Amino acid sequence: MDTTSTHGASPGAARAALLVLADGRFPAGGHAHSGGAEAAVKAGRIREATDLAAFCRGRLHTSGLTSAALAAAAAAGADPLALDEAADARTPSPALRATARKLGRQLMRAARAAWPCDALDALAAARPRGAHQPVVLGVTARAAGLGPEDAAHCVAYESVGGPATAVVRLLGLDPFEATAVLARLAPELDQVARRAAEAGRRALTEGPGTLPAASAPLLDITAQAHAAWPVRLFAS
Amino acid sequence: MHLDHSHDTTTAVSADAARPDGTRRALRIGLGGPVGSGKTATVAALCRALRDTFSIAVVTNDIYTREDAEFLLRNAVLPPERIQAVETGACPHTAIRDDISANLEAVEDLEDAVGPLDLILVESGGDNLTATFSKGLVDAQVFVIDVAGGDDIPRKGGPGVTTADLLVVNKTDLAPYVGSDLGRMARDAQDQRGELPVAFTSLTSGEGVKPVADWVRARLAAWSA
Ligand SMILES: Nc1nc2c(ncn2[C@@H]2O[C@H](COP(=O)(O)OP(=O)(O)OP(=O)(O)O)[C@@H](O)[C@H]2O)c(=O)[nH]1
Ligand SMILES: [Mg+2]
């Protein structure tokens, strides 16, 4: 039985599927999360577009790279359960682990409706409370006929797109400025996605231990504090 | 390729009437409407009226707090394990209509944790007149407005007022003080809604929720028939 790419062409050849998966309207729960931006706004670290750019750049090269590589490895066909453990090892904050699994579970639901296949079913059965979101995304990308670069791009973009959207809501930041921040980060996004895809392919033969483990300690710390706020707009 | 066989081994697809283990899932009723119209008060009163007969749980969708969930907990209308709060990232209408994934998880978790359930009430955070629930999330929806929000709201219409399975016009006790004409609200609502029912309530009195509770009972009877 076909357990990988269900919908035709060779892996990585699809393009429109990437647009569907990367669309901010893809119903997988991301809208309720700020990627740490709410805590940064409250602490006064993000006040305007230049701060948002710095925040996004930091997130992209740390947790963005790590997540993108996990997704790329999953899209390349590495064992998702081993990657799920690797994701836990790379996520020291319990709050962020919980968020990653919650979002993974939400993505799984949308993915199984969009690209039903045995690989998604198997991961859902093995992790009914949710696998880490980047791992689910990688398996989803593979099911959609996408490749490691696509999965890495999708996750790297999410790592900055989420905070940018959140800051528009939190600060009333000009949405054109926020979009311009993302556009200026595009070349760096491409670089990070390429690195992540290479690392993901390498993990296929050398194991998940070789995946990047870049992290942003301040994001971990503020995520823990944010999870305990009594009043907040975003879930993380 | 195997698009034709079932892939629903661990989760039910949103609108399926059966749970993965084959049992019938709970009836899900959504309650939406503008800020402060009395949605939480209606949920609380419904729980009090129905909890002795039916197994009930509640999901709340607050905008930026756990205020609604905490009100229900404080007032002990249900045991705490039967109340779940969903966080909506400042957009309740997204969480109840455009991306219902977090709400579906909440209703499934409640069925797993405290089921079998007969009824799950899903309260939306106060939003605008266009906020309605996805059919993938709820089986029926109640739109709650109040007389103090202006007696021209039924005339203005909008998807909530026009299409909800039940329109509740709450706080009728305040009508004399805010100069709202209940007769006019009833006529305007009928113009907008045709045959769809409208209930006028005042939750300050003990029996106030009765027309809504009766409607829910009828829905439950139809669901389990
Ligand atoms: N006089 C009067 N007050 C009511 C009635 N129903 C609710 N209230 C009051 O109206 C206020 C708002 O009620 P809630 O039930 O919290 O309204 P809500 O629609 O849940 O509000 P949000 O969730 O914030 O949108 C509270 O102070 C209630 O006590 C009523 O029938 N009459
Ligand atoms: Mg309320």
Side-chain angles (χ1 to χ4, degrees):
Chain A
M1 202 183 320
D2 177 5
T3 54
T4 54
S5 160
T6 53
H7 299 243
S10 60
R15 176 167 282 179
L18 178 59
L19 297 178
V20 176
L21 183 58
D23 191 332
R25 289 164 295 190
F26 194 77
H31 68 95
H33 296 262
S34 78
E38 181 165 34
V41 164
K42 183 80 171 285
R45 282 189 290 275
I46 303 179
R47 290 202 176 89
E48 54 189 19
T50 49
D51 309 328
L52 174 64
F55 179 90
C56 287
R57 180 169 289 115
R59 192 160 194 259
L60 172 64
H61 288 279
T62 53
S63 58
L65 171 67
T66 304
S67 301
L70 285 161
D79 171 22
L81 297 181
L83 292 173
D84 197 46
E85 277 179 21
D88 256 347
R90 286 158 178 73
T91 315
S93 150
L96 289 181
R97 284 188 188 183
T99 296
R101 291 194 181 279
K102 194 169 162 47
L103 286 172
R105 185 174 167 202
Q106 289 177 251
L107 172 58
M108 177 61 82
R109 182 188 299 275
R112 291 171 86 195
W115 296 285
C117 71
D118 294 344
L120 287 168
D121 288 353
L123 181 55
R127 292 283 179 277
R129 307 290 306 169
H132 277 258
Q133 193 265 5
V135 177
V136 180
L137 191 129
V139 176
T140 302
R142 191 172 169 85
L146 298 166
E149 278 79 10
D150 301 315
H153 265 100
C154 200
V155 170
Y157 180 65
E158 267 173 15
S159 78
V160 294
T165 311
V167 169
V168 168
R169 291 196 208 155
L170 287 162
L171 286 179
L173 187 72
D174 181 337
F176 299 116
E177 284 191 48
T179 299
V181 164
L182 295 177
R184 304 224 161 91
L185 278 172
E188 275 176 69
L189 263 158
D190 288 329
Q191 282 167 20
V192 167
R194 268 196 298 275
R195 271 183 68 195
E198 273 165 33
R201 284 213 172 78
R202 193 168 58 243
L204 203 54
T205 50
E206 294 176 23
T210 60
L211 288 168
S215 73
L218 190 57
L219 284 180
D220 293 337
I221 293 165
T222 58
Q224 284 304 118
H226 181 269
W229 290 7
V231 174
R232 57 178 189 238
L233 282 181
F234 290 88
S236 78
Chain B
M1 299 277 266
H2 44 253
L3 289 177
D4 44 345
H5 77 226
S6 166
H7 283 278
D8 305 315
T9 48
T10 56
T11 36
V13 162
S14 42
D16 282 358
R19 310 198 60 228
D21 64 7
T23 56
R24 195 166 180 78
R25 66 161 171 78
L27 175 71
R28 303 181 200 143
I29 294 183
L31 293 101
V35 178
S37 61
K39 296 177 291 298
T40 305
T42 303
V43 167
L46 282 174
C47 289
R48 289 194 190 96
L50 301 171
R51 67 190 171 194
D52 294 337
T53 324
F54 300 102
S55 177
I56 306 177
V58 173
V59 177
T60 62
N61 284 263
D62 285 318
I63 308 179
Y64 53 82
T65 62
R66 294 173 40 91
E67 202 89 2
D68 286 340
E70 268 153 26
F71 176 89
L72 297 172
L73 287 171
R74 237 184 358 263
N75 287 271
V77 296
L78 288 177
E81 65 275 14
R82 287 176 179 261
I83 301 169
Q84 269 226 15
V86 166
E87 288 176 293
T88 64
C91 271
H93 57 265
T94 305
I96 63 164
R97 185 186 58 207
D98 309 311
D99 181 351
I100 57 177
S101 52
N103 270 290
L104 285 172
E105 240 116 77
V107 298
E108 287 172 7
D109 285 351
L110 282 165
E111 295 227 41
D112 287 343
V114 297
L117 293 165
D118 300 308
L119 173 66
I120 301 180
L121 299 171
V122 183
E123 179 186 346
S124 167
D127 208 300
N128 61 50
L129 295 174
T130 67
T132 50
F133 285 83
S134 163
K135 291 190 171 68
L137 176 60
V138 300
D139 304 299
Q141 48 193 308
V142 180
F143 201 72
V144 183
I145 61 173
D146 68 56
V147 303
D151 62 6
D152 52 352
I153 288 186
R155 182 182 54 73
K156 287 183 194 160
V161 165
T162 314
T163 65
D165 300 288
L166 175 68
L167 178 67
V168 172
V169 182
N170 186 33
K171 307 191 190 178
T172 52
D173 53 297
L174 298 181
Y177 307 105
V178 295
S180 282
D181 180 343
L182 295 180
R184 176 185 159 197
M185 290 183 91
R187 282 190 302 278
D188 289 345
Q190 205 195 348
D191 285 347
Q192 294 283 354
R193 295 172 52 78
E195 298 294 298
L196 289 170
V198 182
F200 285 81
T201 56
S202 167
L203 299 176
T204 46
S205 74
E207 285 289 278
V209 82
K210 188 168 183 305
V212 187
D214 289 345
W215 178 85
V216 172
R217 273 198 197 89
R219 282 280 170 167
L220 276 164
W223 179 252
S224 52

